[in-house]
Amino acid sequence: MKGLFRAGRVAILVSGAAACQKAQTAPLYEAVPVARRDIVVTASASGVVQPILTFIVKSKAWGEIIEMPVQTGDEVRKGQPLARIDPRIPQQNLAQAQAALDKARAQLETATARLRRSEALYRSQSISETEYESSNLAHATASAAVVNAEAGLQTAKDAMEDTQVRAPITGSILELDAVLRTVISSPTLGGGTVILKMANLDTVQDSAMVAETDIGRVQPGLPVTITVDAFPNRSFDGTVLKIGPQAQIMQNVTSFPVFVNIPNPGHLLKPGMNTDVRIHTGRRDGVLAVPYAALRTPRDVASGAAVLGLDPQLVEQQIAAATAAAAPQRRAGDSTAHPTSQAQAPGTFTTPNGRVITLPPGVTADQVQQAIAKMRTGAEPTAAERALLAQVFGRSQRSGGGGGGGGGGARGSRGGSGNSYIVFVRRAGNVTAVPIKTGLSDQDYVEVTAGVEEKDTVLVLPSASLVQSQQQFRQRFQNVTGGGLPGLRQQPSQPAAGAR
């Protein structure tokens, strides 16, 4: 039984060791072809849907609401009745105004007839001039009374019309603040009573709070993509309208309000919905791009070389070769203006940035250029070529020259052509370290402006910290196993019985 137990234990340990060995030999990188993609850079923020303009509807008339044919959420057209106020008092005022006008018109007719008689009698000198002037004054007074009565009648008609509250715009009823049988007051008396609120939702506005680190890239007219929890599989398009001038500080974060107009023909977006806003601050269509995770800085190139089993010194030489090979292409356009820029002085080699390196004795610029061109193609250099490049660029680095050997140019090159990084590229079956220039990035992929071509394949390696932790794990594994099965150290062999 003990033998069976030991045999089973050994089988489990062997299978575990095989699994660990298989996990260790699994590829630690992903090969991704260089392809053309659309790169879109966005500034993310959260916001709230709001109507562009909200109308607060009040009534000019005062009294009891006797009709209210609309409810919250109804779609109404401009001029459609929203409420009706008790019209009894306005009707009485209208009747009185009509009677006053009739009376004024009758008095005007009487005054007109009297004035005609006075004119005839005055011409025949039957009455005095004073009596004639009195008739003129009576007629003028009657005419003024008619005008006042007509104005009073029009005011009464307007007051009667005001008992019908109508929609000021075509839109949706957002909120009812008064209900049927509510007695309301007029705006002329203490501001009036709010009956309802409404707005046009054909176009809504999103007020998004954008962090101050991103606000410099936001400007009116930029396209915006909006998503809401109510429609997780659908996005809405908008446009930046304006940027609020006053910053707001929330939880020690400074943000600025950005107002976005969103077409909303189906009224799917409701006021008060929380939104996720992505403002498209940059875009490149159909550009060469590589995964952002494939980029290496000069500090972590060595860890990438360790993952691939490459010699760090060889990697430095590959970087120098690629940089030097790209120099004639970048300066080809300047050959006419600077005819001496391509010339190599005897015993020197000119780096891409124009720095002149003094070559060791017995080394020519042509030898360096040939070795660089060979490494540029991805071919494996000979031992002599590797020693030559190490001698040239190693000497340049020790003397403070700029040969591009250690990737230091990637740290300081942040000009108009973009940032500098290093990627590991598979070319002709070999892995080569290549410096590249990058442009726009969406954090998943980054635009490449120089260094790789569409036929290349880049290697996405784990981060330097992950590589270091994996190396530490392997070291601990070897320390525990002693090179054998996990948990079983190698025991020294015992001398045979009787051996001295």
Side-chain angles (χ1 to χ4, degrees):
M1 185 60 119
K2 292 182 178 180
L4 292 175
F5 176 75
R6 290 177 180 173
R9 181 178 179 183
V10 171
I12 293 174
L13 293 175
V14 170
S15 63
C20 292
Q21 182 68 21
K22 187 175 182 180
Q24 291 178 7
T25 58
L28 296 178
Y29 60 85
E30 178 184 1
V32 179
V34 178
R36 295 192 176 274
R37 297 177 178 271
D38 296 340
I39 304 295
V40 179
V41 180
T42 61
S44 300
S46 58
V48 179
V49 175
Q50 300 174 347
I52 294 180
L53 186 61
T54 301
F55 283 83
I56 298 176
V57 179
K58 299 180 180 181
S59 173
K60 295 181 180 180
W62 59 272
E64 180 183 358
I65 299 177
I66 60 175
E67 290 183 13
M68 202 163 193
V70 296
Q71 298 294 330
T72 302
D74 288 353
E75 300 287 337
V76 297
R77 295 185 175 277
K78 182 177 180 179
Q80 180 176 333
L82 302 178
R84 183 167 178 256
I85 312 301
D86 186 357
R88 289 178 297 179
I89 295 179
Q91 282 179 344
Q92 294 173 3
N93 293 337
L94 178 60
Q96 292 176 356
Q98 184 63 53
L101 178 60
D102 294 340
K103 178 181 177 181
R105 287 175 175 172
Q107 291 177 344
L108 178 59
E109 291 179 359
T110 302
T112 301
R114 183 179 299 175
L115 178 59
R116 290 173 181 172
R117 290 194 298 270
S118 297
E119 289 177 347
L121 293 173
Y122 180 71
R123 285 195 297 269
S124 63
Q125 298 182 354
S126 299
I127 60 175
S128 63
E129 184 177 356
T130 302
E131 292 176 334
Y132 174 69
E133 291 176 352
S134 297
S135 299
N136 278 328
L137 178 60
H139 181 270
T141 302
S143 298
V146 169
V147 174
N148 291 335
E150 289 176 346
L153 179 61
Q154 185 60 47
T155 301
K157 289 180 178 179
D158 293 341
M160 185 64 188
E161 179 64 25
D162 290 341
T163 59
Q164 288 280 1
V165 181
R166 301 182 183 276
I169 61 170
T170 297
S172 303
I173 306 298
L174 302 181
E175 178 183 336
L176 292 179
D177 294 276
V179 297
L180 195 65
R181 302 303 174 186
T182 300
V183 177
I184 64 173
S185 62
S186 171
T188 58
L189 302 174
T193 303
V194 177
I195 299 177
L196 56 86
K197 297 182 179 68
M198 64 177 301
N200 189 324
L201 301 182
D202 292 340
T203 300
V204 294
Q205 192 171 89
D206 195 324
S207 177
M209 301 303 299
V210 178
E212 62 176 334
T213 55
D214 296 328
I215 199 64
R217 297 184 283 120
V218 179
Q219 58 184 355
L222 288 179
V224 182
T225 300
I226 300 96
T227 57
V228 295
D229 292 339
F231 305 99
N233 299 323
R234 176 173 180 174
S235 60
F236 300 85
D237 297 327
T239 305
V240 175
L241 176 65
K242 61 181 179 180
I243 303 171
Q246 181 63 49
Q248 300 181 17
I249 301 177
M250 297 178 292
Q251 298 180 353
N252 295 329
V253 177
T254 302
S255 303
F256 287 83
V258 176
F259 300 97
V260 179
N261 279 358
I262 312 169
N264 188 32
H267 295 183
L268 298 179
L269 297 178
K270 310 295 183 183
M273 281 186 171
N274 295 317
T275 61
D276 290 328
V277 179
R278 297 192 302 274
I279 304 174
H280 302 276
T281 58
R283 185 182 183 93
R284 299 286 189 275
D285 294 331
V287 296
L288 289 180
V290 299
Y292 192 82
L295 303 183
R296 316 295 293 188
T297 62
R299 291 190 302 176
D300 56 6
V301 165
S303 64
V307 172
L308 298 172
L310 302 177
D311 183 1
Q313 184 178 6
L314 175 61
V315 171
E316 292 181 358
Q317 296 170 6
Q318 290 174 342
I319 296 173
T323 304
Q329 299 177 3
R330 290 197 299 266
R331 297 187 300 178
D334 300 334
S335 59
T336 303
H338 305 281
T340 61
S341 62
Q342 300 296 330
Q344 298 282 357
T348 63
F349 180 78
T350 305
T351 62
N353 58 6
R355 189 182 299 272
V356 178
I357 299 176
T358 301
L359 297 176
V363 178
T364 65
D366 291 339
Q367 292 175 334
V368 177
Q369 190 66 39
Q370 290 175 2
I372 288 175
K374 183 176 181 180
M375 294 186 65
R376 175 65 176 168
T377 62
E380 185 70 21
T382 64
E385 291 171 339
R386 292 180 58 180
L388 183 145
L389 292 174
Q391 186 180 10
V392 171
F393 292 104
R395 180 178 179 180
S396 171
Q397 291 173 355
R398 289 191 299 270
S399 62
R411 185 179 300 108
S413 176
R414 295 185 180 271
S417 57
N419 299 330
S420 297
Y421 291 96
I422 300 166
V423 294
F424 288 94
V425 179
R426 181 183 294 164
R427 290 174 177 170
N430 297 320
V431 177
T432 305
V434 178
I436 63 172
K437 292 288 186 179
T438 61
L440 207 61
S441 173
D442 60 1
Q443 302 305 315
D444 291 328
Y445 286 86
V446 59
E447 175 191 7
V448 180
T449 59
V452 295
E453 300 175 357
E454 196 166 356
K455 62 183 179 180
D456 292 331
T457 299
V458 297
L459 305 182
V460 180
L461 308 177
S463 63
S465 59
L466 179 58
V467 172
Q468 183 179 4
S469 64
Q470 290 173 343
Q471 293 174 346
Q472 293 174 353
F473 172 77
R474 292 194 188 99
Q475 185 63 39
R476 290 196 301 268
F477 179 79
Q478 292 176 359
N479 293 338
V480 171
T481 61
L485 295 175
L488 297 179
R489 293 184 177 274
Q490 298 290 340
Q491 301 295 333
S493 59
Q494 298 295 333
R500 300 294 180 189

